[in-house]
Structure formats: structure tokens, C-alpha cells
Amino acid sequence: MSHTDTGARTGARVRSLALLTTAVAALATTLPAAAPAYASGPYGQGLRHCTDGTDTGTGPAALTCHFPVTPGTYDVTVTLGGDTAAATSVTGETRRALLPETATGAGERVTRSFTVDVRTPEGEPTGPDGSPGLDLRFGGPAPALDAIRVTPAPRARQLVLIGDSTVCDQPGEPYTGWGQRLPQLLGRGTAVANHADSGESTVSYLANPALFDRVRARIRPGDLVLVQLAHNDKQTDAATYRANLTALVDGIRAEGGRPVLVTPIVRRWFNRDGTLDNDIALLVNGLGVNHPAEIRALAAELGTPLVDLTALTKARVEELGPEESKALYLTTEKRDNTHTSERGATEYARLVHAELEAQGLLGHRPPRPGGA
């Protein structure tokens, strides 16, 4: 073979390689960027996605972790503790309580797991989108995180919430909805999908496509769907109120969900005798419609489980009395006797959780068709 032939072939190869490189580069500019590998698979035993917060002098700095995952349900496993004694709690997304404060001794490490709902918007359905992905915050008196793992859990159970500002993921302190404090009570395997929204009535929740239409699209067969709407039905007549609740129940059942009707939390409005037996506290609206009574009757008529949160919260507020019960609401901070503090929301979430457990509604999911 001559030197001329060899040079010609080498030049042809170089030109072909150059053309291939140009074509690949051109193709890359037209294709969408690949999603992060950990958006669809287990990720993160280490802490490289976590950063220390700034110590403001008011207490230990919180540790924050960010995982740019796509919307869905995820199992999170954390190892808490370290060389020194610690006490760590976990919140995520829009101030959701995901793990209660956990104490560890010096040199002790414990592993805990929970399941979290990642969605857009991450808080109230009509609120801002929030930051994409999953954000976790490790706080408490002395937070210590040793390891973390995030794993997609597409078949996890969902506990879906429909409600108003007393239920929702409130964006700013001191306001706290009871649905915001519920996830920490459930642990791994059930994600709370809180679609409660401030200011909503049964009328507006059905009318706004960002609300009930979106909830229906998210329901998986066997999911529990809790409905607490009453505070803002101030001028809804009894027939309309019952028809709206029935439409919500029917829509949930049409998607394979299990509706649970929840009577509203009481307002902290005392009589002189220290009881709450009045229309304001017990949510009788301007037309004389007794919302808790209507819900109780409709639950019996439709055969849905009932959480009588009105009765449960009334008993608790009356037990504490006019002064001590202020701590459950924002009486001192905002002169607000309707919305709950973190303490009040936590206590009310426990009441809901205990009632669901007592009725055997947690941990049960009907088999899918075909046994899948």
C-alpha cells in the first residue's frame, strides 16, 4: 500500500469523525436535558445534598437537604444522631411535620423512615409553586443527621385532605393547619397529600379546576380522602351544602377513593359558663345551617365514615378552659380564635389520627382488580 493511499484513508477517517462529532453536537442541542438519575431511583446515603443553616444566635443551626426529584411520593430514610447527644425533628416542603423530635444519646444513632408527597404547588393548591423537588429541614434543640436516603414510592398509600385554612399547609408562622402536622403521625408507607386551601367553601372547592378536579386526578384506588369544609360556607343554604358534600363524596368514590367526612374544628368562643354551646363556636352559619349536624346526618345517609372533629375539639377546648385554651389558637398573637397555633394543630391532628385508627381506617387498602 502506498503512502498516498494511507494518507488519503487517514484523511477520510478524520473527516468522517469530524462530521460525526458535528452531528452529535447538533443533535444534543435539539434534545431535552436528561433528568437527574436520582429523580427515578434511590439516591443519597451521604450528605452531599445537605447544607448547614446560619446560626442566628437563637439556637443551633438547622440542616437543610434538597433533592431535585420529580413530583410523586417518596420514602425517606434518615439516620439521626452522632458523637454527642442530640434531639432532631424533621419538617419538609411547606412547613410539614414529617418526623417528631427524636432524642439520641452520645454515640447513638437511630434510623427512622417516612413517606412524603412532592407536588407543585408544594403548599396550598392556589398558592405559589414553591421550590421544585424535595426540601427537608432538620431542626430541634440539637439536630444531628448522619445519613439520608430518598427512594421513589409510586405505590405508597395516600391520605388526601380536602379542606380550608384550618387544615391546609400554612406558608407562614404562626399559622398552622392540622393537616400540616398529620404526616409525622403516619410514618413510612402513607403520604399525606394536603389539598386544603385557605378561604374555600364547598361551593368554591367544586368550582375551581385547581381544587377538586386536581384532587380527583391524584386519587389512587383505596386512598382515604378526608373532607372538612364548613368555615367558609357562611351563606350556603342547607340543601346546597348537602348537595355539594354529596358531589364530593360521589366524585371521590368514582376514582376508587374512600371518602371520610370530617366535622369542622370549633372556634374558641366561650359562653360565660365556660362552654362553647353557641352558634359561633359550633359553626352555625348566618342562614341557621348547623354545619356539624348536617355533616353527621349526611355521613349516615351516604354510609361514609365520620370523624366528629367538632365534638372532639369542643371537649378539648372546654377541658382547658378560657385561659389555657388560648395556646391552641392564635388568640394572643393575632386575636384569632379560629386558626390554630402549632400546638393546637398538633393536638387536633392527633385527634384525627386517633379516630381514624379507632375506626380501622388506617393501614387497610382494598386489593386491586386482578390481585395486583
Side-chain angles (χ1 to χ4, degrees), residues 167-188:
V167 185
C168 74
D169 288 346
Q170 289 279 1
E173 297 177 347
Y175 292 90
T176 311
W178 63 256
Q180 207 163 12
R181 305 296 293 177
L182 188 60
Q184 65 182 330
L185 304 176
L186 297 172
R188 183 174 181 172

Side-chain angles (χ1 to χ4, degrees), residues 17 33 39 74 95 113 150-151 157 171 188-189 213 225 245 301:
L17 181 59
Y74 292 85
R95 301 176 58 232
S113 297
V150 176
T151 308
R157 292 186 298 271
R188 183 174 181 172
D213 288 351
V225 184
L245 287 177
E301 179 182 321

Side-chain angles (χ1 to χ4, degrees), residues 264-268 276 281-283 310 313-314 317 329 337 348:
I265 68 169
V266 294
R267 292 191 177 98
R268 187 193 155 278
L276 301 179
L282 301 182
L283 285 92
T310 303
T313 56
K314 177 179 183 292
V317 171
Y329 291 81
N337 291 300
Y348 291 177

Side-chain angles (χ1 to χ4, degrees), residues 4-56:
T4 302
D5 291 340
T6 302
R9 291 185 180 184
T10 300
R13 289 193 187 101
V14 170
R15 285 192 296 274
S16 297
L17 181 59
L19 288 172
L20 179 60
T21 302
T22 301
V24 169
L27 180 60
T29 62
T30 62
L31 292 175
Y38 44 84
S40 59
Y43 190 76
Q45 283 290 3
L47 301 178
R48 67 189 184 91
H49 289 275
C50 303
T51 57
D52 286 321
T54 301
D55 191 341
T56 61

Side-chain angles (χ1 to χ4, degrees), residues 130-146:
S131 59
L134 172 61
D135 290 290
L136 301 172
R137 180 181 183 275
F138 294 79
L145 174 65
D146 188 66

